């Protein structure tokens, strides 16, 4: 395959570590990466190409890196259709013009659904006071803020996290409280926390895959963050939603 500078960009940020699971090859960049960090494309009986997020649809599949910029460039130049024609051994494929939008929406839905699943499993804590108490007791493995959370509310929880559990990651979602509340089946959820380490890892994987596709990253707080940096992360998240 003829390589293109837009299609051979550094994909390390979206392919992830080499030991993260069975590897597959991106048909656009030829880069190898774990299945969890790529997107599988499948073809239906009507020759329509569609994303297969679970990687379980029958038939031959083709994998692409989870990077919207690379996908958009490939579609614009006709390289995706050619790559898929070779992968599926068919020239009759129907490639939807909104494929990138389908993938973006699907990754967002899966990330929010994952939060809902962990909530139903009893792994989430919500409510500013409850979360604050859990942080102090060392029971938090991941702290989550809605993208439209007030900086002062975020700052207070972050101060407790830095003081009592500085090694615990903290993230600002690229969606607001309405989407977070809907995902958890509750009203007006602005902050949430995960108390189980395995659950936290699952959520982070889904969030990072979603963010990577859109050319960004999950906004994380660390030991050096102060209130101004937290407010900046909230502002960035708000800008990304519009």
């Amino acid at each position: 395959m003829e390589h293109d500078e837009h299609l051979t960009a550094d994909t390390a940020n979206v392919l992830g570590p080499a030991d993260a699971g069975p590897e597959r090859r991106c048909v656009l960049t030829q880069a190898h990466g774990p299945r969890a960090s790529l997107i599988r494309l499948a073809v239906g009986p009507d020759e329509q190409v569609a994303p297969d997020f679970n990687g379980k649809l029958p038939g031959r599949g083709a994998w692409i890196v989870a990077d919207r910029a690379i996908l958009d460039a490939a579609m614009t130049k006709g390289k995706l259709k050619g790559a898929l024609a070779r992968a599926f051994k068919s020239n009759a494929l129907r490639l939807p013009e909104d494929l990138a939008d389908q993938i973006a929406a699907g990754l967002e839905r899966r990330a929010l659904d994952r939060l809902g699943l962990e909530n139903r499993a009893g792994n989430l804590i919500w409510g500013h006071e409850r979360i604050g108490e859990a942080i102090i007791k060392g029971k938090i493995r991941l702290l989550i803020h809605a993208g439209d959370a007030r900086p002062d509310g975020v700052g207070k929880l972050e101060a407790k996290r830095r003081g009592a559990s500085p090694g615990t990651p903290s993230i600002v979602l690229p969606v607001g409280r309405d989407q977070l509340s809907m995902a958890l089946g509750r009203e007006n959820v602005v902050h949430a926390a995960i108390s189980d380490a395995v659950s936290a890892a699952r959520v982070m994987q889904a969030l990072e895959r979603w963010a990577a596709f859109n050319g960004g990253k999950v906004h994380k707080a660390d030991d050096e963050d102060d209130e101004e940096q937290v407010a900046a992360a909230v502002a960035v998240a708000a800008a990304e939603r519009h």
Side-chain angles (χ1 to χ4, degrees), residues 118-134:
E118 300 300 345
N119 181 45
R120 291 194 289 277
N123 295 326
L124 261 70
I125 301 171
W126 56 89
H128 201 282
E129 291 185 5
R130 292 181 62 201
I131 293 173
E133 293 175 359

mmCIF file of all heavy atoms in Angstrom, residues 118-134:
data_model
loop_
_atom_site.group_PDB
_atom_site.id
_atom_site.type_symbol
_atom_site.label_atom_id
_atom_site.label_comp_id
_atom_site.label_asym_id
_atom_site.label_seq_id
_atom_site.Cartn_x
_atom_site.Cartn_y
_atom_site.Cartn_z
ATOM 1 N N GLU A 118 -21.038 -0.023 35.448
ATOM 2 C CA GLU A 118 -20.292 -0.030 36.704
ATOM 3 C C GLU A 118 -21.150 0.517 37.841
ATOM 4 O O GLU A 118 -21.025 0.067 38.990
ATOM 5 C CB GLU A 118 -19.004 0.794 36.566
ATOM 6 C CG GLU A 118 -18.047 0.304 35.489
ATOM 7 C CD GLU A 118 -17.555 -1.118 35.702
ATOM 8 O OE1 GLU A 118 -17.723 -1.654 36.818
ATOM 9 O OE2 GLU A 118 -17.008 -1.710 34.753
ATOM 10 N N ASN A 119 -22.020 1.455 37.521
ATOM 11 C CA ASN A 119 -22.927 1.975 38.540
ATOM 12 C C ASN A 119 -23.892 0.889 39.011
ATOM 13 O O ASN A 119 -24.094 0.691 40.216
ATOM 14 C CB ASN A 119 -23.706 3.167 37.989
ATOM 15 C CG ASN A 119 -24.649 3.769 39.012
ATOM 16 O OD1 ASN A 119 -24.285 3.980 40.165
ATOM 17 N ND2 ASN A 119 -25.880 4.024 38.607
ATOM 18 N N ARG A 120 -24.456 0.151 38.052
ATOM 19 C CA ARG A 120 -25.386 -0.915 38.415
ATOM 20 C C ARG A 120 -24.696 -2.047 39.179
ATOM 21 O O ARG A 120 -25.335 -2.772 39.941
ATOM 22 C CB ARG A 120 -26.084 -1.451 37.166
ATOM 23 C CG ARG A 120 -27.054 -0.447 36.547
ATOM 24 C CD ARG A 120 -27.963 -1.096 35.532
ATOM 25 N NE ARG A 120 -27.273 -1.472 34.323
ATOM 26 C CZ ARG A 120 -27.025 -0.651 33.314
ATOM 27 N NH1 ARG A 120 -27.400 0.629 33.389
ATOM 28 N NH2 ARG A 120 -26.406 -1.071 32.224
ATOM 29 N N ALA A 121 -23.389 -2.182 38.955
ATOM 30 C CA ALA A 121 -22.631 -3.207 39.670
ATOM 31 C C ALA A 121 -22.245 -2.753 41.077
ATOM 32 O O ALA A 121 -21.638 -3.523 41.832
ATOM 33 C CB ALA A 121 -21.370 -3.563 38.886
ATOM 34 N N GLY A 122 -22.598 -1.519 41.408
ATOM 35 C CA GLY A 122 -22.310 -1.016 42.742
ATOM 36 C C GLY A 122 -20.915 -0.469 42.922
ATOM 37 O O GLY A 122 -20.436 -0.340 44.061
ATOM 38 N N ASN A 123 -20.252 -0.126 41.817
ATOM 39 C CA ASN A 123 -18.868 0.342 41.896
ATOM 40 C C ASN A 123 -18.727 1.856 41.876
ATOM 41 O O ASN A 123 -17.604 2.361 41.920
ATOM 42 C CB ASN A 123 -18.052 -0.247 40.731
ATOM 43 C CG ASN A 123 -17.922 -1.745 40.814
ATOM 44 O OD1 ASN A 123 -17.841 -2.305 41.899
ATOM 45 N ND2 ASN A 123 -17.914 -2.407 39.667
ATOM 46 N N LEU A 124 -19.843 2.592 41.767
ATOM 47 C CA LEU A 124 -19.788 4.042 41.686
ATOM 48 C C LEU A 124 -20.346 4.697 42.942
ATOM 49 O O LEU A 124 -21.262 4.180 43.584
ATOM 50 C CB LEU A 124 -20.563 4.556 40.465
ATOM 51 C CG LEU A 124 -19.703 4.895 39.243
ATOM 52 C CD1 LEU A 124 -19.154 3.634 38.622
ATOM 53 C CD2 LEU A 124 -20.508 5.692 38.231
ATOM 54 N N ILE A 125 -19.774 5.839 43.250
ATOM 55 C CA ILE A 125 -20.243 6.686 44.337
ATOM 56 C C ILE A 125 -20.559 8.051 43.734
ATOM 57 O O ILE A 125 -19.809 8.536 42.884
ATOM 58 C CB ILE A 125 -19.169 6.841 45.433
ATOM 59 C CG1 ILE A 125 -18.783 5.474 45.999
ATOM 60 C CG2 ILE A 125 -19.641 7.759 46.547
ATOM 61 C CD1 ILE A 125 -17.577 5.524 46.918
ATOM 62 N N TRP A 126 -21.641 8.667 44.118
ATOM 63 C CA TRP A 126 -21.971 9.995 43.616
ATOM 64 C C TRP A 126 -22.383 10.871 44.777
ATOM 65 O O TRP A 126 -22.674 10.402 45.879
ATOM 66 C CB TRP A 126 -23.081 9.939 42.553
ATOM 67 C CG TRP A 126 -24.320 9.257 43.041
ATOM 68 C CD1 TRP A 126 -25.385 9.810 43.686
ATOM 69 C CD2 TRP A 126 -24.597 7.865 42.955
ATOM 70 N NE1 TRP A 126 -26.310 8.861 44.008
ATOM 71 C CE2 TRP A 126 -25.857 7.655 43.567
ATOM 72 C CE3 TRP A 126 -23.912 6.762 42.421
ATOM 73 C CZ2 TRP A 126 -26.441 6.392 43.662
ATOM 74 C CZ3 TRP A 126 -24.491 5.515 42.517
ATOM 75 C CH2 TRP A 126 -25.738 5.337 43.117
ATOM 76 N N GLY A 127 -22.414 12.173 44.536
ATOM 77 C CA GLY A 127 -22.718 13.122 45.596
ATOM 78 C C GLY A 127 -21.429 13.697 46.169
ATOM 79 O O GLY A 127 -20.510 12.957 46.545
ATOM 80 N N HIS A 128 -21.351 15.029 46.210
ATOM 81 C CA HIS A 128 -20.124 15.712 46.602
ATOM 82 C C HIS A 128 -19.637 15.275 47.979
ATOM 83 O O HIS A 128 -18.453 14.945 48.171
ATOM 84 C CB HIS A 128 -20.363 17.225 46.577
ATOM 85 C CG HIS A 128 -19.122 18.039 46.475
ATOM 86 N ND1 HIS A 128 -18.296 18.268 47.562
ATOM 87 C CD2 HIS A 128 -18.546 18.675 45.427
ATOM 88 C CE1 HIS A 128 -17.275 19.021 47.175
ATOM 89 N NE2 HIS A 128 -17.400 19.272 45.902
ATOM 90 N N GLU A 129 -20.522 15.243 48.963
ATOM 91 C CA GLU A 129 -20.119 14.908 50.328
ATOM 92 C C GLU A 129 -19.699 13.446 50.448
ATOM 93 O O GLU A 129 -18.687 13.127 51.090
ATOM 94 C CB GLU A 129 -21.253 15.213 51.307
ATOM 95 C CG GLU A 129 -21.533 16.705 51.472
ATOM 96 C CD GLU A 129 -22.566 16.974 52.544
ATOM 97 O OE1 GLU A 129 -22.986 16.000 53.223
ATOM 98 O OE2 GLU A 129 -22.958 18.137 52.701
ATOM 99 N N ARG A 130 -20.473 12.546 49.832
ATOM 100 C CA ARG A 130 -20.142 11.119 49.898
ATOM 101 C C ARG A 130 -18.792 10.844 49.249
ATOM 102 O O ARG A 130 -17.990 10.055 49.756
ATOM 103 C CB ARG A 130 -21.227 10.295 49.232
ATOM 104 C CG ARG A 130 -22.563 10.274 49.955
ATOM 105 C CD ARG A 130 -23.544 9.414 49.201
ATOM 106 N NE ARG A 130 -23.096 8.026 49.129
ATOM 107 C CZ ARG A 130 -23.525 7.149 48.221
ATOM 108 N NH1 ARG A 130 -24.385 7.524 47.290
ATOM 109 N NH2 ARG A 130 -23.087 5.903 48.228
ATOM 110 N N ILE A 131 -18.557 11.498 48.110
ATOM 111 C CA ILE A 131 -17.275 11.298 47.423
ATOM 112 C C ILE A 131 -16.136 11.834 48.278
ATOM 113 O O ILE A 131 -15.085 11.193 48.419
ATOM 114 C CB ILE A 131 -17.290 11.986 46.043
ATOM 115 C CG1 ILE A 131 -18.280 11.280 45.119
ATOM 116 C CG2 ILE A 131 -15.894 11.990 45.430
ATOM 117 C CD1 ILE A 131 -18.492 11.979 43.799
ATOM 118 N N GLY A 132 -16.335 13.005 48.867
ATOM 119 C CA GLY A 132 -15.301 13.588 49.710
ATOM 120 C C GLY A 132 -14.935 12.685 50.873
ATOM 121 O O GLY A 132 -13.753 12.501 51.194
ATOM 122 N N GLU A 133 -15.945 12.099 51.506
ATOM 123 C CA GLU A 133 -15.696 11.185 52.626
ATOM 124 C C GLU A 133 -14.948 9.927 52.155
ATOM 125 O O GLU A 133 -14.039 9.442 52.833
ATOM 126 C CB GLU A 133 -17.018 10.792 53.280
ATOM 127 C CG GLU A 133 -17.717 11.949 53.993
ATOM 128 C CD GLU A 133 -19.084 11.558 54.517
ATOM 129 O OE1 GLU A 133 -19.489 10.386 54.303
ATOM 130 O OE2 GLU A 133 -19.745 12.402 55.136
ATOM 131 N N ALA A 134 -15.347 9.413 50.988
ATOM 132 C CA ALA A 134 -14.695 8.210 50.460
ATOM 133 C C ALA A 134 -13.241 8.481 50.101
ATOM 134 O O ALA A 134 -12.376 7.614 50.275
ATOM 135 C CB ALA A 134 -15.462 7.694 49.245
#
